[in-house]
Amino acid sequence: MNLKFNHCRISGILTIVPENESLFDDEIQNYEFSPETSLKLKETMGYNKHRIALPGSTITDYSLYGLEYLKSHNLIDPDEIDALLVVGSQMDYILPPTSNVIQGKYGFKEDCICLDITQACAGFEVGLIQAFMMLQQESINKIVLINADMLSLKVSKRDRNSYPLIGDGVAITLIEKSEDDSKIFANIKMDGKGAFAIQIPAGGLAKLPDETTRVEKKDEFGNWRSEEHMVMKGDEVFMFAQRKVPPMIESLLAYSGYSREEVDFYMFHQPNRFMLKKIARKLKIDESKLPMNIVENFGNSSGVTVPLDICYNIGDNLLDNEYKLCMAGFGGGLTWSSILMNVGPLSICKIIEFPNRIGG
């Protein structure tokens, strides 16, 4: 589905990552593989270090920490925010909605729409599309989009298939109406037939947790996990990305009328370096325009990887400059989406650390 928006802009991005950092080399002993085999995987996939939230961490804690930072720097006024969107693969509670909890604790006005949206790897793009649609309403002028994932808390530390690449974090994006009439182009597709390629089997209504769902078992590849841990069919996800992402980007460029050379940067979801290199090659994109360094420095934080990519690689430049960005997310759902728009100058484009403590 192709979508088009105007009179909307991103005005700021703040990403919050855990202070706690874990090194792949220190985790090798957790896996039932030889160190040599694991180190080969490290080189191929781009593993190095990742940011891991402490047990008990919540989306609310991280979000309030980031919102207070924005407020202390006069970058946000709670009374001016008309909608609060929280997007992630899991929320703090089954009930109440995490967005309502954040609204109440931070002090957003009552006349503020709060929405929780369950999406994973394409969550940033899904959230932006939702925000752009809401800004078409006369009464909505400013929106806070929070992308968040703490998936390390739902992945077995003995699962070499998933744990080395997982990272945690939260991104707060400020979105508002703009007098600039420059067009925003987007597309989005979903295929629920592949939904179980990435899943947590137990914990929801389909399979309630009990003493049996917490028991860790070894799979045929030597990875240990329980039914309450995330499991990913890596080969299916890889093939999905290779089949769907390049045509999606080509379709977006054709829809917009821009050539691939006119795009300043391709800010893609970062599952691992190997997958991104393959996609860049298929699209004939110069790798200098497609950063691939998020997993090796922070880990794969699902829908947070694109805003983290922007802040880490071009954040300072976006304070004074405007770039044409092609942003894309793909994965859990299965969902794949991309957006082409001008971004910048921004009021903030920065990474801060959430200290090694629990509580907002």
Side-chain angles (χ1 to χ4, degrees):
M1 179 181 295
N2 290 326
L3 303 168
K4 187 187 296 183
F5 308 97
N6 59 359
H7 294 297
C8 305
R9 75 183 188 101
I10 293 173
S11 58
I13 305 174
L14 177 70
T15 52
I16 307 100
V17 298
E19 180 184 357
N20 185 45
E21 187 175 76
S22 181
L23 299 176
F24 179 80
D25 289 358
D26 295 337
E27 298 165 358
I28 288 176
Q29 60 187 350
N30 296 334
Y31 310 128
E32 290 196 0
F33 304 89
S34 69
E36 293 77 17
T37 301
S38 292
L39 289 173
K40 286 181 181 178
L41 183 69
K42 171 185 175 180
E43 178 63 27
T44 301
M45 307 301 279
Y47 298 154
N48 183 27
K49 55 189 177 182
H50 49 162
R51 299 299 182 102
I52 303 297
L54 298 181
S57 298
T58 65
I59 292 170
T60 300
D61 288 342
Y62 275 66
S63 299
L64 292 175
Y65 188 78
L67 289 167
E68 287 296 339
Y69 182 91
L70 292 171
K71 186 177 180 181
S72 69
H73 288 77
N74 299 314
L75 296 170
I76 187 172
D77 181 349
D79 293 332
E80 293 182 351
I81 302 305
D82 302 306
L84 171 64
L85 312 179
V86 179
V87 186
S89 59
Q90 56 180 346
M91 297 295 164
D92 289 344
Y93 310 95
I94 296 175
L95 280 175
T98 298
S99 56
N100 286 66
V101 174
I102 295 170
Q103 179 212 25
K105 289 193 173 186
Y106 187 62
F108 288 112
K109 62 188 180 184
E110 291 184 359
D111 204 18
C112 174
I113 299 172
C114 297
L115 288 178
D116 285 14
I117 301 173
T118 305
Q119 278 291 335
C121 309
F124 185 59
E125 293 71 30
V126 170
L128 286 177
I129 288 171
Q130 178 67 66
F132 296 152
M133 289 192 291
M134 295 176 79
L135 285 173
Q136 307 308 304
Q137 296 299 312
E138 193 173 308
S139 57
I140 298 178
N141 294 294
K142 292 187 178 183
I143 295 174
V144 168
L145 167 63
I146 296 176
N147 289 93
D149 255 306
M150 306 285 179
L151 274 175
S152 75
L153 304 176
K154 299 296 291 184
V155 175
S156 169
K157 291 184 177 180
R158 295 195 290 171
D159 181 357
R160 199 192 66 171
N161 187 52
S162 298
Y163 190 77
L165 66 87
I166 290 297
D168 299 319
V170 167
I172 301 176
T173 304
L174 307 177
I175 305 155
E176 60 186 57
K177 279 190 170 81
S178 170
E179 294 181 0
D180 186 357
D181 192 32
S182 63
K183 300 293 187 294
I184 298 172
F185 302 93
N187 58 20
I188 184 167
K189 292 180 181 291
M190 299 184 181
D191 181 9
K193 294 190 294 294
F196 294 100
I198 305 173
Q199 66 162 317
I200 299 176
L205 293 177
K207 189 162 192 177
L208 294 171
D210 58 32
E211 62 277 1
T212 65
T213 62
R214 290 185 285 273
V215 176
E216 292 192 9
K217 299 177 182 178
K218 185 168 70 170
D219 70 9
E220 58 184 305
F221 303 106
N223 299 295
W224 289 81
R225 67 176 77 90
S226 76
E227 291 183 284
E228 294 181 31
H229 287 136
M230 187 187 81
V231 57
M232 178 172 59
K233 299 176 182 177
D235 54 343
E236 291 185 18
V237 176
F238 176 80
M239 293 307 299
F240 151 73
Q242 298 303 307
R243 287 197 313 270
K244 300 297 186 180
V245 175
M248 170 180 68
I249 301 303
E250 291 170 348
S251 174
L252 179 68
L253 291 170
Y255 177 55
S256 70
Y258 288 100
S259 68
R260 58 172 52 85
E261 290 76 22
E262 290 177 282
V263 177
D264 294 308
F265 294 100
Y266 293 84
M267 296 300 191
F268 288 1
H269 169 57
Q270 305 241 341
N272 58 66
R273 188 171 60 202
F274 179 74
M275 187 182 293
L276 288 173
K277 280 184 172 291
K278 293 284 188 181
I279 291 172
R281 197 170 299 129
K282 281 194 173 186
L283 285 168
K284 298 181 175 62
I285 294 173
D286 189 324
E287 290 187 8
S288 65
K289 286 190 170 189
L290 201 166
M292 305 180 188
N293 54 6
I294 295 303
V295 166
E296 66 191 70
N297 287 290
F298 300 96
N300 174 357
S301 48
S302 194
V304 185
T305 62
V306 172
L308 184 57
D309 186 7
I310 294 170
C311 290
Y312 186 65
N313 287 294
I314 59 172
D316 289 342
N317 291 329
L318 272 171
L319 300 180
D320 300 307
N321 300 290
E322 179 183 82
Y323 295 118
K324 187 173 294 295
L325 302 185
C326 178
M327 301 171 284
F330 42 90
L334 295 167
T335 303
W336 59 110
S337 178
S338 57
I339 297 174
L340 182 64
M341 65 181 294
N342 295 332
V343 178
L346 302 182
S347 61
I348 185 171
C349 195
K350 184 175 184 177
I351 302 168
I352 62 173
E353 291 184 333
F354 186 86
N356 286 335
R357 60 176 172 79
I358 296 176

